[in-house]
Amino acid sequence: MLVLGIETSCDETAAAVVARDGEARGRILSNVVRSQLAEHRPYGGVVPEIAARAHVECLDAIVAAALAEAGLALSDLSGIAATAGPGLNGGLVVGLVTGKTLALAAGKPFLAINHLEAHALTVGLTDGLEPPYLMLLVSGGHTQTLLVEGVGRYRRIGTTIDDAIGEAFDKTAKLLGLGYPGGPEVERAARSGDPERFPLPRPMVGRVEPHFSLAGLKTALRQRAEAAAPLTDRDVADLCAAFEAAVCDIIEDRVSRAMELAEDAFGPGRPRWLTVAGGVAANASIAAALARLAAARGFHLAVPPPALCTDNGAMIAWAGAERLARGLVDGLDFAARPRWPLDPAAPAAIGAGVKA
Ligand code: KG4
Ligand code: ZN
C-alpha cells in the first residue's frame, strides 16, 4: 500500500509517500517539508493569511518533489491523504482541495486526516508500536494527554484550560526579547541560568483533574521580569531556567496523573508505553523529565525522531494508510474542520477557553 500525505494545517507545507506492508509496518519513501518560519518570523507568530498564501505558492512543487523522491507517479499510489483539521482554515482548504483534486484526477481513494490522529499514530510508523499507549502531545497549538486505544479510538485524558505549552514558550521568549520560535531560544538561554533565583508557580500540580494550565505561570513570569527590569543577560537566563523548570514539573505531574487514569487500559503484565509528539518534545530538559518519570512508573518511552515529532507529511500518509487498510475512506465533499477534537465525547475542562 502506497499513500501520499499532504500537511498544510499550520506553518509547514509538507508532502510524503509512505509504504505500508501486510504486517502494518511502515516505510517512509519520501518526506518533504518546507517551513514557513522565515515568512512569519517578522510578526513573532504564525499569520494565518500569510500561511495560506505560502501553502498555495509551493504545495504543488512539494507534492511533485515527494513523488519524485519516492520514484513514483500518481498512478502508482493506493490512496491520497490530506490533513482536514484541526488547524488554520485557509491552510487546511489549500491542502484538502489539492488532495481531493489529485484523488479525483487519478481515480484514487481520498482520506481526510485528523492532524492529532496523525501525531498519535506516528509511533506505529517509527517503532511499530501498537495500541494501547499513552501519548503526550505538546506543540505550539496543542497540549494534551491521550490514551490511544486503536485507530480511530482515542480517549482524551488531559487538555490545557488556557495556553498550549509551546505557546507559553513562545510568549515567554517574546516577553524577554528573545527570537521566534521561542522554545529553542528559551532552552538555549536557560542552559546558563539559575532555576531557583526567581520562584515561579506550578499551576494545577497535585490536582486530581488531569488538565494543564499555563496562564498563571506566564503572568508570574511577567511580574518577575517587570520587577527586575531592565533585564541583564543573566536575568533573562535565570528567568528562562525558572520557566523551563516549572514547565518540567508541570509536565511530570500531569503525565503522572494521566498514567494513573489510564491504568485500567493496560492489562496486568502488559507493557506500558508513553509516547510523545510535538515540537516541545525537542526540549532536552523536558525529554529528561519524561524519561525519569517513565522509568519511575514502569513505562517504556517512545519518542519519534524530531523531524517526525514536528509537523510533517509522513505522519499524514501513515494515518491515511492505517485508515485505508481498514476501509475508512472519505468522500470528496469532506469539509475542513478547523476544530476537530480526537475524542468528541471528552467533557470540556472546567474553566477552559476556546482552545480546549
Ligand atoms: O509541533 P510544532 O513544530 O508545530 C506546531 O505547533 O504545530 O511545535 C512548535 C512549538 C513552538 O511553540 C516552539 O516554540 C516549540 O514547539 N518548541 C520548543 C522547542 N523547540 C520547539 N519548546 C521548548 N523547547 C524546545 N527546544
Ligand atoms: Zn502538529
Side-chain angles (χ1 to χ4, degrees), residues 9 115 119 137 139 142 309-311 315:
S9 68
H115 180 93
H119 275 305
L137 175 61
S139 68
H142 301 282
C309 269
T310 56
D311 291 349
M315 70 178 191

Side-chain angles (χ1 to χ4, degrees), residues 322-329:
E322 286 284 80
R323 293 182 69 82
L324 185 57
R326 290 161 178 81
L328 300 169
V329 171

Side-chain angles (χ1 to χ4, degrees), residues 17-233:
V17 180
V18 162
R20 181 188 185 278
D21 72 18
E23 284 85 48
R25 281 288 171 170
R27 255 178 318 126
I28 298 175
L29 303 186
S30 65
N31 191 21
V32 183
V33 182
R34 184 192 173 275
S35 166
Q36 303 175 357
L37 257 185
E39 283 100 315
H40 299 292
R41 188 172 275 124
Y43 305 93
V46 178
V47 183
E49 182 60 24
I50 292 177
R53 283 167 193 248
H55 290 308
V56 170
E57 275 164 25
C58 68
L59 184 56
D60 54 349
I62 300 284
V63 168
L67 286 170
E69 213 173 283
L72 297 170
L74 269 184
S75 55
D76 298 320
L77 299 173
S78 321
I80 295 170
T83 306
L88 299 171
N89 192 56
L92 291 173
V93 168
V94 174
L96 256 188
V97 170
T98 305
K100 288 175 184 177
T101 307
L102 293 174
L104 184 66
K108 303 292 178 183
F110 175 69
L111 305 124
I113 301 301
N114 181 311
H115 180 93
L116 304 178
E117 173 168 55
H119 275 305
L121 297 179
T122 297
V123 282
L125 171 64
T126 56
D127 296 74
L129 197 61
E130 284 175 25
Y133 49 84
L134 191 63
M135 148 114 189
L136 170 69
L137 175 61
V138 272
S139 68
H142 301 282
T143 296
Q144 294 189 352
T145 45
L146 280 172
L147 179 65
V148 179
E149 295 173 324
V151 173
R153 291 192 294 128
Y154 309 93
R155 179 144 63 95
R156 193 215 67 203
I157 298 177
T159 186
T160 177
I161 62 176
D162 39 60
D163 292 349
I165 293 179
E167 187 181 0
F169 268 98
D170 294 334
K171 287 178 176 172
T172 294
K174 203 168 190 173
L175 177 82
L176 298 177
L178 303 174
Y180 173 83
E185 300 281 335
V186 170
E187 178 171 26
R188 197 172 307 122
R191 252 177 240 144
S192 60
D194 169 7
E196 311 215 315
R197 183 172 146 219
F198 296 103
L200 291 175
R202 273 92 172 127
M204 302 296 286
V205 164
R207 296 273 284 269
V208 172
E209 61 270 43
H211 304 305
F212 295 77
S213 170
L214 279 301
L217 171 60
K218 185 183 64 187
T219 305
L221 181 108
R222 181 164 43 75
Q223 287 165 346
R224 297 272 174 207
E226 281 168 4
L231 300 177
T232 63
D233 287 351

Side-chain angles (χ1 to χ4, degrees), residues 204-207 248-258 293:
M204 302 296 286
V205 164
R207 296 273 284 269
C248 284
D249 288 350
I250 291 167
I251 289 180
E252 206 169 326
D253 181 80
R254 301 291 74 198
V255 174
S256 171
R257 183 70 189 119
L293 173 66

